[in-house]
Amino acid sequence: MSVHYRRATTVVWRESRGNVLVRPVAVDEITVLSGPGVDLWHLLVDEKTLDELADELAETYAVQSGQVSGDIRPVLDDLVTRGIVDRTVAA
Amino acid sequence: MSATTINSALRSIAAYGLPGSRPRFPDAPVDDATWQAIIEGVRLQRIAPLFAQAIAENSFPTTSHQASNAMELEREALTNALALEASLVDIAALLERAGTRFRVLKGSAVAHLDYPNPAMREFGDVDLLIHPDDIDRTVATLAGHRFIRRFPEPRAGFDRRFTKSVSMTGPRGHEVDLHRTLAAGGFGQRIPVGMLWAAPPGEFTLAGRQMSALGAEERLLHACYHLVLGNSPPRLVPQRDLAQMLLTGHAATDRVRLLAAAWQGESVVAHAVTTAWGNLRLTTDVPLLTWATTVTPRRRDARELARATSTNYSYAAQAVDSLRAMRGARRRLAYISAMAFPRRDYLGSRHAGFASRVRYAVSEVVTTRTMTKENR
């Protein structure tokens, strides 16, 4: 069983001055991503697993993939809860 | 700093980042009073993202407090744009379900299709071009979802046949303008609306939904019409839009000129291009600018342009110009009848009663005649 993440299609967003502002169409709430959050947002244009995301960010920031994985898991959970990232589970 | 200098700074902000622009910004952070005047202008002209960019790139000197003030303003603009786009997505879903043909106009469409980054383009409402045959259904559909019409229809069939646009306010408080055509007055009346629907659309994606806009050349012409006929004096955003399209866009000049001729709007396009280049102090030549400087408007167009660009181009004067441009005796008669004898609720929304309307109409026509005489 693998878990994939991707930007939700039901959001609108803008990128400006190192920040990404994302808003679900149905919810009057803006989430602001900055720093590695912006890189994460860019990676989420395609469906990816936690490990794939961690590997790519680890390469960008020259750190251990395992460390990144632990850091971004709660972030992804939060973004899923906010409705701006979709999580799909494939058998 | 004088009003002229503030105005000059605002024009530089509107042109910021364009190829060939020469910003005229202060050498040091301005005093509080000047700052407030600039911020007010930036807010009014909807150029907060461009101002923030100029500050972030150290082109416009600020104190740290001023810089954070400008960044807050930009954040507000972006948040508002996202709220409007959320509304647009909802409206698009409603209209698609109702089988309405529509194109996204101005703000969101231009931001996504004509700017390198949509965050650079601020906007304040949702504008849609609606197929004339679908406009009644569109109004009914939105009214069924708690959208409130700003003014009632003057007479049954007026929206479908004559109106420039119908304004409605949605349950989230956002304004949506449903356009039948792209401009008011005679120039708007001469736009062959069918051509707008026959041309291939521009497309962009919003929240996973494919949105259709006007094609690149039609968008450019619309920017010209909005610039010249929308507000007097012209707002800075349509000038920036036009310059952005001409300097970094993909519109084919030959097709723009063909469309301008078909819309009988060469004088509008020429006036728009020379105005934008003058006001934004752009130095890069583009083929349409070269052409624009050679255009001599025919007498009818010159007169109408003078009226339309004056600060008191009233609703009544627009109606007179529309009537002049209208083809077909029956169509003209229907228009006159709707204008002269609108429904009671329309009268109530705009004027206290028939007598008031007649007085208003008489004073407006007199004004129009005087202006026409002056402009001869």
Side-chain angles (χ1 to χ4, degrees):
Chain A
M1 194 170 72
S2 64
V3 179
H4 287 82
Y5 297 91
R6 188 179 188 165
R7 286 180 200 166
T9 53
T10 51
V11 297
V12 287
W13 61 281
R14 290 286 191 275
E15 183 170 4
S16 180
R17 260 160 282 298
N19 296 312
V20 168
L21 284 74
V22 195
R23 184 203 146 118
V25 167
V27 183
D28 189 6
E29 182 183 274
I30 302 277
T31 299
V32 182
L33 305 172
S34 56
V38 174
D39 296 311
L40 182 63
W41 184 252
H42 289 152
L43 292 172
L44 286 165
V45 66
D46 297 315
E47 199 172 69
K48 287 189 171 65
T49 64
L50 177 65
D51 288 345
E52 287 168 340
L53 290 166
D55 286 348
E56 295 201 39
L57 285 174
E59 197 177 322
T60 305
Y61 289 91
V63 290
Q64 294 293 318
S65 177
Q67 184 192 334
V68 175
S69 179
D71 288 343
I72 64 171
R73 186 191 294 274
V75 175
L76 286 166
D77 289 344
D78 184 34
L79 297 181
V80 170
T81 306
R82 289 169 184 263
I84 62 178
V85 167
D86 286 339
R87 176 167 43 202
T88 54
V89 181
Chain B
M1 195 183 254
S2 69
T4 310
T5 318
I6 289 167
N7 189 269
S8 174
L10 291 173
R11 288 190 280 148
S12 289
I13 293 165
Y16 190 73
L18 285 171
S21 66
R22 293 177 300 177
R24 290 184 198 165
F25 292 140
D27 298 325
V30 296
D31 59 61
D32 285 351
T34 305
W35 176 257
Q36 283 310 318
I38 290 173
I39 281 289
E40 201 174 307
V42 164
R43 195 188 286 273
L44 186 74
Q45 295 287 346
R46 299 194 194 284
I47 50 175
L50 298 169
F51 190 35
Q53 193 174 338
I55 291 168
E57 292 173 358
N58 296 318
S59 297
F60 192 107
T62 56
T63 64
S64 59
H65 176 72
Q66 289 171 346
S68 58
N69 186 192
M71 297 308 152
E72 272 172 35
L73 200 62
E74 185 201 29
R75 181 65 62 89
E76 271 177 40
L78 296 176
T79 302
N80 193 43
L82 292 178
L84 287 164
E85 289 195 336
S87 282
L88 171 58
V89 171
D90 285 344
I91 292 167
L94 290 174
L95 300 191
E96 278 170 20
R97 276 204 295 276
T100 294
R101 289 160 285 184
F102 67 93
R103 301 270 190 270
V104 183
L105 299 174
K106 300 202 278 190
S108 186
V110 170
H112 286 273
L113 291 167
D114 297 301
Y115 280 73
N117 178 353
M120 294 165 70
R121 174 58 156 87
E122 187 179 348
F123 49 93
D125 61 4
V126 172
D127 290 280
L128 301 173
L129 180 73
I130 307 290
H131 194 285
D133 293 344
D134 297 342
I135 204 154
D136 293 337
R137 182 154 32 113
T138 306
V139 172
T141 299
L142 295 182
H145 288 83
R146 298 192 292 136
F147 282 74
I148 295 165
R149 194 178 166 134
R150 193 170 168 205
F151 296 113
E153 188 176 24
R155 288 277 284 260
F158 188 88
D159 294 345
R160 181 170 35 85
R161 298 181 72 187
F162 302 117
T163 198
K164 179 217 161 201
S165 59
V166 178
S167 286
M168 301 185 83
T169 305
R172 295 178 184 176
H174 299 144
E175 185 175 306
V176 53
D177 290 335
L178 309 170
H179 296 253
R180 185 190 67 87
T181 185
L182 303 180
F187 287 113
Q189 194 61 230
R190 292 185 204 99
I191 297 171
V193 174
M195 281 179 73
L196 299 174
W197 293 98
E203 289 183 331
F204 63 101
T205 304
L206 210 54
R209 184 177 288 275
Q210 190 89 341
M211 297 284 182
S212 292
L214 296 176
E217 291 83 11
E218 286 84 359
R219 284 200 306 283
L220 193 147
L221 258 80
H222 188 199
C224 292
Y225 274 62
H226 183 44
L227 190 168
V228 175
L229 307 170
N231 296 90
S232 184
R235 301 285 293 264
L236 290 171
V237 161
Q239 298 183 60
R240 168 67 187 225
D241 285 350
L242 178 59
Q244 189 80 52
M245 290 173 187
L246 283 170
L247 290 167
T248 65
H250 306 290
T253 304
D254 289 350
R255 186 156 183 273
V256 168
R257 288 178 53 184
L258 282 173
L259 285 175
W263 296 15
Q264 299 181 55
E266 291 107 320
S267 57
V268 175
V269 174
H271 188 76
V273 176
T274 52
T275 299
W277 249 248
N279 281 345
L280 302 183
R281 295 188 290 263
L282 300 171
T283 55
T284 307
D285 271 346
V286 293
L288 203 67
L289 176 67
T290 310
W291 165 81
T293 55
T294 67
V295 171
T296 309
R298 57 184 120 169
R299 190 181 293 181
R300 176 201 72 189
D301 289 354
R303 285 178 185 162
E304 191 177 328
L305 204 55
R307 284 192 296 277
T309 54
S310 74
T311 49
N312 55 350
Y313 188 47
S314 66
Y315 187 66
Q318 289 174 29
V320 171
D321 282 336
S322 293
L323 189 64
R324 285 188 180 131
M326 215 168 271
R327 287 184 172 179
R330 287 182 67 172
R331 187 172 163 79
R332 284 179 166 200
L333 196 61
Y335 184 72
I336 292 169
S337 168
M339 289 280 91
F341 306 106
R343 289 183 345 199
R344 190 171 291 274
D345 57 346
Y346 176 80
L347 280 177
S349 69
R350 288 207 177 228
H351 300 285
F354 185 73
S356 153
R357 185 169 176 79
V358 168
R359 276 198 300 277
Y360 174 78
V362 170
S363 69
E364 290 299 298
V365 169
V366 169
T367 308
T368 305
R369 281 190 181 145
T370 310
M371 284 174 54
T372 307
K373 202 173 177 182
E374 281 171 359
N375 292 328
R376 266 179 200 143

